[in-house]
Amino acid sequence: MKSNHLFVRGGAGDTTAAEATRAQDNLYLSVNGEWAKTAEIPADRSTTGGFADLAVGVEERLLTDFAKFRQDLTQIRTPELQEAVKLNQLALDFKKRDEDGTRPADAMLNKLDKLQNWSDVNQHLADLIKDGTALPFSLGVEPDMKNTSVYLLYVDVPGLILPDKTYYAADNESGQQLLAVWSEMAIAVLQKFGYDETQATQLVDQAKAFDAAIVPFVKNSEELADYTKQYNPYEFADFLKLTPEIDFATAIPEILASTPEKIVLTQPKYFENLSKLVTPATFDQYKSWLIVNEILSTTGFLSEELRQLGGTYGRAISGQKEAANQEKHAYRLANGYFSDVVGQYYGATYFGDTARQDVTAMIKTMINVYKQRLANNAWLSQATKDKAIVKLNNIVIKVGYPDQVRAIYSQLKIKTAAEGGDLLNNILNLAKIFRLDNFAKIKQPVDRTRWAMPGNLVNACYDPSFNDITFPAAILQAPFYSLEQTNSQNYGGIGAVIAHEISHAFDNNGAKFDEQGNMVNWWTDADYTAFEERTQAMIQEFDGISYAGSQVNGKLVISENVADGGGLSCALEAAKEDDDVDLKAFFNNWAKVWRIKATNEYRQLLLSIDVHAPGPLRANVQAQNMDDFYQAFDVTEQDGMWLAPEDRVNIW
């Protein structure tokens, strides 16, 4: 009689447990089970493991460097990095921050307090947008998805209090608990700003009422995962007819210094219903929502007491036990606003050009493997294969760090305490410079040299509108990549990550964009139908898998799963070209890369909003799809990792 754990998607056992088992039953636990027994999540973080551990190491290295820089600004090699350290110094001066209290926010809040009705909002709308004020919409300039040589204005929805629309369901206990935490925190913060408890409670209740009114008209994370549906172009004149309550006709030409012919609505349903949110009867609710949002947004830049208090809700969402200490907080602020500058410093100092050339060569190898796999593909027509290879030939490779940071960083100047500056108003000024720079792009050619990620970020990405792949220096270390590791290990790590990003060019979203990043259909109808059948099989393979007391949403995670499957199969083929290939080492390192220990709150959050499947399932299910895995570990029908050949999903 067969054991009852057979045919388990994701392997036998609980992948969040701290227990080791055989690779044949659970690859992820066989590699990471012992580690999980002793691994501890830092109090100021919500996870530990592969990506998180590397991020901690990068941060510790840069914390040490920033401490040296603060002692002597003259040793800093670029003026942009000097400004980053000045911001770091200002953020670390908690004596001044505590003495200043809420005073730095007075001018901003006094300006908002004068808004008495929607007419006042419309009268000052352009300035409110430039200042980044909380409004019932948001604006940003991005490449036109159908013509990526030009920029368009995208009009988006406002953010919600809770992490996702699904949290507002009556039966969602996490949502109710989080809203209670948010309310208690917001009331306490408002009292620090001089409101009495009754006033604060009324403001918070009205803010929640306005937030609740937004919820029915916006999409949830699963719906947003199909991001091509966020491209809804409108003639500017038609958009103005849709939203007469807001004076976009005056404000948008002012902030863009030109009148656009067309704009893009990310969620038309919301704007079709905006008239229900913008009425004389809702103004008091909106103003409360505005004041509460604006006050909460300042707390991280004021006193230590407000920094701690204002972070309560964020820590509740992720299960993080403590706020980052003051030194980390000050570094993260500087890194956040000077990300490309810090990333370039990190890459040039700790990565260097030799490693950049080595990884670039590896990427080109993976692209060639991908081309060969496409050439041998049995379910695509030659016409679609040819177009796919053209797209591969045009992928732009960005490795390590940029040679130059964007010109915007030379505009960022910090007003020090000696010059009468305070942290909050420096931050407001920096944010405004970035905002205005974004609006100014509307008349400029699209900058294809820009980097989507800084060099000190432990991550990688593919951008369909640019058809480029970015591998920051920070991810290019063990267990992903190291000269100390075997080729098999490196292919199971960075090789699979490289091929994963290449595969995004052909996932359910990326497949809709051509070699220039334009959203045009380059598939034959029959080929795209065959592709959709395969993606549907991947959705079903992951949908409903139990994880952390809940279940995976197959539709939410489909694009990343298509990329994982393509990445692993492509890296596997490259590894097998090596004379000394060790498939066990390949799969073991693949599983090691995805090791994670997380708070339960963070796991629940990711299941709700993250387009990636949980790390342990990325490790196991994708391995189950590879025939070579069964041969490498002698997996049989009696083992927990067995999936029948007809149930294995392979697309690329």
Side-chain angles (χ1 to χ4, degrees), residues 4-82:
N4 61 9
H5 65 233
L6 299 186
F7 312 112
V8 180
R9 296 170 299 158
D14 177 3
T15 48
T16 65
E19 57 186 41
T21 186
R22 303 183 315 140
Q24 292 90 335
D25 286 326
N26 193 305
L27 173 67
Y28 175 84
L29 287 179
S30 75
V31 173
N32 302 307
E34 285 297 326
W35 164 83
K37 291 179 182 178
T38 56
E40 292 187 11
I41 301 169
D44 64 350
R45 287 180 175 266
S46 51
T47 67
T48 191
F51 284 78
D53 289 353
L54 291 187
V56 168
V58 169
E59 183 173 79
E60 286 175 350
R61 186 173 266 177
L62 288 167
L63 281 167
T64 300
D65 290 352
F66 266 68
K68 291 175 185 170
F69 292 152
R70 288 194 301 270
Q71 301 304 314
D72 180 9
L73 289 178
T74 61
Q75 67 176 306
I76 302 172
R77 63 179 75 150
T78 68
E80 292 88 355
L81 189 55
Q82 285 186 4

Side-chain angles (χ1 to χ4, degrees), residues 160-382:
L160 299 172
I161 292 171
L162 294 177
D164 185 61
K165 179 175 180 170
T166 54
Y167 278 69
Y168 289 85
D171 60 351
N172 190 310
E173 290 182 19
S174 293
Q176 293 171 19
Q177 291 166 1
L178 285 173
L179 203 53
V181 171
W182 183 87
S183 303
E184 185 180 337
M185 173 194 74
I187 290 168
V189 168
L190 288 172
Q191 288 177 268
K192 300 295 180 187
F193 276 77
Y195 296 92
D196 64 34
E197 187 175 0
T198 302
Q199 292 171 319
T201 302
Q202 183 182 11
L203 281 168
V204 168
D205 286 345
Q206 289 187 317
K208 287 192 291 186
F210 193 75
D211 177 74
I214 294 169
V215 174
F217 308 123
V218 297
K219 291 184 174 184
N220 63 32
S221 294
E222 179 193 315
E223 293 166 323
L224 290 170
D226 184 355
Y227 55 73
T228 58
K229 288 183 179 170
Q230 294 181 53
Y231 183 77
N232 304 282
Y234 278 67
E235 294 296 319
F236 188 52
D238 292 336
F239 168 60
L240 297 180
K241 290 175 195 167
L242 193 65
T243 56
E245 298 80 10
I246 301 287
D247 188 10
F248 288 117
T250 304
I252 286 179
E254 184 176 334
I255 64 168
L256 298 181
S258 62
T259 302
E261 290 182 17
K262 68 177 179 177
I263 55 93
V264 176
L265 295 185
T266 60
Q267 299 190 41
K269 179 184 174 182
Y270 174 81
F271 291 96
E272 289 162 4
N273 288 277
L274 190 60
S275 59
K276 296 173 185 173
L277 296 169
V278 182
T279 71
T282 64
F283 183 76
D284 286 346
Q285 289 181 353
Y286 164 69
K287 188 171 178 183
S288 296
W289 178 85
L290 164 66
I291 289 170
V292 173
N293 269 307
E294 291 294 325
I295 285 177
L296 290 178
S297 74
T298 68
T299 56
F301 316 116
L302 297 172
S303 67
E304 173 66 2
E305 181 184 36
L306 281 167
R307 180 179 84 90
Q308 293 281 348
L309 184 56
T312 307
Y313 175 63
R315 293 193 293 278
I317 289 175
S318 66
Q320 188 179 312
K321 292 183 174 60
E322 295 175 5
N325 65 32
Q326 292 181 349
E327 188 179 11
K328 286 182 185 176
H329 155 79
Y331 161 74
R332 289 174 188 173
L333 260 186
N335 180 54
Y337 284 90
F338 289 85
S339 57
D340 287 7
V341 174
V342 178
Q344 190 200 38
Y345 163 78
Y346 173 85
T349 306
Y350 297 110
F351 187 63
D353 200 54
T354 304
R356 182 156 60 173
Q357 298 305 322
D358 187 46
V359 175
T360 300
M362 196 172 181
I363 294 168
K364 289 176 178 175
T365 297
M366 298 307 296
I367 289 175
N368 286 331
V369 170
Y370 222 101
K371 284 184 196 174
Q372 193 58 46
R373 288 180 68 81
L374 277 171
N376 296 332
N377 181 291
W379 57 271
L380 286 177
S381 70
Q382 193 60 46

Side-chain angles (χ1 to χ4, degrees), residues 111-143:
K111 206 186 301 183
L112 299 180
D113 201 46
K114 291 174 183 172
L115 301 174
Q116 297 301 310
N117 48 49
W118 288 110
S119 178
D120 286 349
V121 172
N122 278 327
Q123 190 178 341
H124 300 283
L125 189 57
D127 286 336
L128 293 171
I129 292 169
K130 290 175 186 176
D131 289 340
T133 308
L135 292 161
F137 60 86
S138 63
L139 303 176
V141 172
E142 298 292 339

